[in-house]
Amino acid sequence: MDLLLEDDELSNKQDTRKAFIVRVKIKLILCILGTLFLMQLASILPAAEIPEFKHIVLDDNIGKVCYAVTMADVNNDGKPDPVALSENRLIWFENPTWTPHVILENQLDLDHVCLAPHDIDGDGLIDFAVGAGWTKKGTIQWVSRDKENPDGLWKVYPIHVEPWVHRMRFADVLGKGKPQLTVSPLNKTEGDGARLLAFEIPDDPRTERWPMTVMSHQFNRMHNHWHVWDRTFTASQEGLHLLKSANDQFEVQQISPGAKGNSPAQSGAGEVKFGFASGGTPLIASVEPMHGNNIVVYLKDGSPQSTWSRTVLDDTLGRGHALWLADIDGKKGDEIIIGHSEPATGEIKGPGIYIFTKEDSEGLLWKKHILDDGGMATEDLIAHDFDGDGDIDILAGGRNTHNVKLYLNQGVNKKEQP
């Protein structure tokens, strides 16, 4: 009996141990499942909202189209001033009163289409390069204030004539130690495609010829280009490409073919910007195709062997046209700011401006936030801290809305002020 009792006790202990192990396994499985559920739940629940923005109308009718906007300290007072370009005028708005000052009016061929700020003559004051007559002659010039009449219209100095001139920026793409003016036409100008040009600023930019380098001429419908250090990104009918100067030539690398449409007009990309997501992950954003309905993000893990992963964030845009990357919420990673100028096909019609925030570590899940729904048929936009409070603001110009608006970032915990 005693042996039987010992056997029973041993059996009970073994049963208890087995039951304990089973319970531990069940708890472990439930814990894993719970963790996975919480991770999935976190990916679909609304994340923290973007900051509130104060909407300021700088100009409610700048002209037929506000083709471009930028930022420059025009009056040299240390404050960044919003600048806007219409089909026949160039206007800057004095910070912080936002008083408008017209510095070009009916002095160039119609339509004005692009501009780039820079101290071109080296006098310590901002000048502007301007592209005009873009659907006809295609003129490239720079403008500078009249020192004898500082409140009057600025003087115009020609640089070059290039049909279909469309976008321009200053960057040292030639590695000369000082920036050149880079210009991209929209359509084919010579050879197989549009000539991407770099103009060096001469010693006397008013009277001397600006030396010109052809960076490439292989892309068609090149809607925009962007510079990062000495590298140039292009968005064209052929997709997204990266150019880098090497031995007096430019190496060209394709990043992505972009949209794959049934015609050239439905293929490739129209906008491109480069930045960094949270954690320092390199990020490229694009609108595909040109004037397209897709906002697309490309992410790369940074290793030499890695490739760019492509994710479509929204395919409902109506004429996607304005794009920027900036750390809007102050969380050390760029958000994607996108504007479109025609009504969308989705639930949110617009036209307007949206901000996309990354909601997962892989960059596959992004959340769309509305900045302006219907009040801005966006042709161009930039992001910058205009009011000096440390938060990134947004400046935008409209096509069909004909307006210029400044969106002042009120911070994550602030509400929009009247």
Side-chain angles (χ1 to χ4, degrees), residues 78-257:
K79 299 183 180 68
D81 303 305
V83 182
L85 185 74
S86 76
E87 73 277 3
N88 69 329
R89 293 193 299 165
L90 176 58
I91 304 174
W92 68 280
F93 302 88
E94 188 172 354
N95 189 342
T97 62
W98 318 122
T99 302
H101 301 269
V102 178
I103 58 178
L104 276 185
E105 187 167 22
N106 299 322
Q107 295 161 265
L108 308 177
D109 294 333
L110 298 178
D111 281 358
H112 306 171
V113 68
C114 56
L115 79 162
H118 185 64
D119 178 9
I120 293 173
D121 56 8
D123 65 353
L125 300 174
I126 283 292
D127 309 297
F128 292 95
V130 182
W134 73 282
T135 61
K136 303 175 184 68
K137 184 178 179 180
T139 64
I140 303 169
Q141 49 267 304
W142 70 283
V143 301
S144 184
R145 68 199 74 208
D146 185 347
K147 293 183 173 59
E148 295 180 358
N149 182 20
D151 295 326
L153 296 176
W154 289 19
K155 293 184 176 181
V156 178
Y157 302 94
I159 298 174
H160 183 69
V161 173
E162 188 76 7
W164 293 105
V165 58
H166 193 249
R167 294 290 183 264
M168 56 175 49
R169 309 187 189 282
F170 279 97
D172 185 12
V173 296
L174 302 179
K176 298 293 184 73
K178 56 183 180 180
Q180 299 85 47
L181 173 64
T182 62
V183 178
S184 57
L186 177 65
N187 294 320
K188 178 179 177 178
T189 50
E190 184 176 296
D192 297 328
R195 299 198 304 176
L196 179 60
L197 306 174
F199 294 92
E200 298 178 61
I201 303 173
D203 292 336
D204 186 349
R206 289 176 173 81
T207 61
E208 295 181 16
R209 181 182 65 87
W210 291 46
M212 183 182 78
T213 298
V214 179
M215 299 170 62
S216 76
H217 54 81
Q218 66 192 79
F219 305 126
N220 295 280
R221 292 169 63 85
M222 192 186 337
H223 193 257
N224 216 331
H225 67 278
W226 188 250
H227 302 294
V228 180
W229 304 298
D230 60 344
R231 291 164 171 78
T232 301
F233 293 88
T234 63
S236 67
Q237 174 185 301
E238 289 79 13
L240 299 176
H241 290 79
L242 176 64
L243 284 72
K244 186 179 185 301
S245 178
N247 301 321
D248 297 326
Q249 294 183 341
F250 279 84
E251 298 177 349
V252 180
Q253 174 188 355
Q254 186 180 65
I255 297 170
S256 170

Side-chain angles (χ1 to χ4, degrees), residues 69 167-169 223-228 232-235 240-241 255 269-277 281-288 295-299 308 321-326 334-338 379-383:
V69 293
R167 294 290 183 264
M168 56 175 49
R169 309 187 189 282
H223 193 257
N224 216 331
H225 67 278
W226 188 250
H227 302 294
V228 180
T232 301
F233 293 88
T234 63
L240 299 176
H241 290 79
I255 297 170
E271 297 290 336
V272 60
K273 292 293 186 295
F274 177 90
F276 294 93
T281 304
L283 178 156
I284 295 174
S286 70
V287 172
E288 301 177 4
I295 173 68
V296 182
V297 63
Y298 295 85
L299 290 171
W308 293 97
H321 205 270
L323 180 64
W324 204 270
L325 300 180
D334 287 332
E335 280 72 52
I336 299 173
I337 311 165
I338 175 68
E379 185 77 1
D380 193 24
L381 63 78
I382 67 166

